[in-house]
Amino acid sequence: EMAEKQEEPSNTQNGEPDNTEEGEEKKKKLKREDLPPFEIVTGERLPAIFFKFQFRNVEYSSGRNKTFLCYVLETQGRESVTSRGYLEDEHAAAHAEMAFFNTILPKCESSLRYNVTWYVSSSPCVTCADRITETLKKNKNLRLTIMVGRLFMWEEPEMQAALKKMKSAGCKLRIMKPQDFEYVWQNFVEQEEGEEAKAFVPWEDIQENFQYYEEKLAEIL
């Protein structure tokens, strides 16, 4: 049984899931209705603890039910403008991938070219993959590269079909290598103020997990 259920909202915070009784009590108090229906959290840099938990390229990603999306958006017109930031989705009402198209790049001006790179904790769900495919088909001046930490529900035939469609619409889908995690760490993760930037510390199985997912993705595509 895959422990990966990214679709379900959860009140677990971004650390390891809270299984204490106190946590259960808190959860009862925090009924679903009390949660805002949807909130997009955007920011320059994400807290290190979120990165260490959510971006880990593990095979069984229990509790990792949010999507973190770090983006670099390069707009080429007379001058090139580059912006970067990150999005995380809350309460599963809409996903970070949708949020990017709804809030960061709601429309593509036909006179400009857009080069977008996403660094995402896991690959998109079927709905988001379809939205990406449609957006790319509509906007020929948009180039999208998605670097993912892990593949989400990749064994499902409809997920595989959705990823193939994304590829044929021109989306480049890549698995994050250790160097890519380091890039995100340096460019998108908060460093403690006043301290020297801490070096990225790769986790033990980072390389094997990268190779594992890369093989799976190659088989699918």
Side-chain angles (χ1 to χ4, degrees):
E1 152 90 345
M2 290 285 280
E4 189 168 7
K5 290 239 174 14
Q6 227 170 344
E7 305 303 273
E8 289 176 19
S10 153
N11 303 328
T12 5
Q13 289 309 304
N14 297 287
E16 296 292 338
D18 178 352
N19 297 326
T20 59
E21 283 174 32
E22 182 198 6
E24 290 307 313
E25 279 310 301
K26 266 191 235 150
K27 278 186 199 163
K28 280 180 199 144
K29 281 188 200 139
L30 243 176
K31 291 209 178 65
R32 290 271 159 85
E33 301 84 278
D34 308 339
L35 293 169
F38 176 48
E39 169 194 6
I40 291 177
V41 185
T42 57
E44 290 294 303
R45 291 185 174 250
L46 65 155
I49 188 166
F50 290 9
F51 172 81
K52 286 175 182 166
F53 181 65
Q54 296 286 351
F55 269 89
R56 237 181 126 146
N57 58 354
V58 290
E59 188 177 342
Y60 294 105
S61 46
S62 174
R64 294 175 175 83
N65 51 5
K66 291 170 75 121
T67 303
F68 276 83
L69 185 157
C70 300
Y71 64 85
V72 181
L73 165 61
E74 188 193 350
T75 309
Q76 296 173 330
R78 287 203 179 125
E79 291 166 16
S80 275
V81 183
T82 301
S83 64
R84 62 176 65 221
Y86 84 94
L87 294 163
E88 61 181 91
D89 49 27
E90 288 280 2
H91 315 321
H95 290 171
E97 296 91 337
M98 298 284 194
F100 179 87
F101 292 124
N102 296 341
T103 58
I104 309 295
L105 193 60
K107 63 179 204 294
C108 293
E109 302 289 336
S110 55
S111 59
L112 300 172
R113 292 186 55 150
Y114 302 89
N115 285 328
V116 179
T117 306
W118 289 351
Y119 295 87
V120 198
S121 42
S122 71
S123 58
C125 66
V126 172
T127 314
C128 288
D130 289 344
R131 169 79 186 269
I132 290 164
T133 300
E134 284 161 32
T135 307
L136 287 169
K137 281 184 178 162
K138 268 206 309 252
N139 301 288
K140 296 294 178 202
N141 53 336
L142 171 63
R143 298 261 173 286
L144 177 61
T145 302
I146 306 179
M147 314 291 294
V148 303
R150 349 177 251 283
L151 291 175
F152 174 61
M153 294 184 66
W154 55 267
E155 289 153 317
E156 303 287 326
E158 60 170 343
M159 189 70 255
Q160 298 186 359
L163 294 177
K164 285 181 181 139
K165 276 191 265 175
M166 270 172 44
K167 184 189 177 183
S168 62
C171 179
K172 290 191 172 73
L173 189 59
R174 305 273 184 273
I175 306 294
M176 285 170 70
K177 298 181 164 78
Q179 300 90 298
D180 298 313
F181 287 106
E182 185 170 10
Y183 174 83
V184 171
W185 175 256
Q186 287 168 348
N187 291 281
F188 292 100
V189 176
E190 279 171 7
Q191 304 294 341
E192 295 296 318
E193 276 183 51
E195 282 188 26
E196 285 287 299
K198 287 195 175 76
F200 172 65
V201 181
W203 40 93
E204 205 182 319
D205 42 10
I206 189 169
Q207 180 67 26
E208 292 88 282
N209 291 347
F210 157 66
Q211 286 165 333
Y212 170 82
Y213 279 125
E214 195 172 51
E215 277 169 30
K216 296 292 167 230
L217 183 62
E219 284 166 24
I220 295 166
L221 299 180

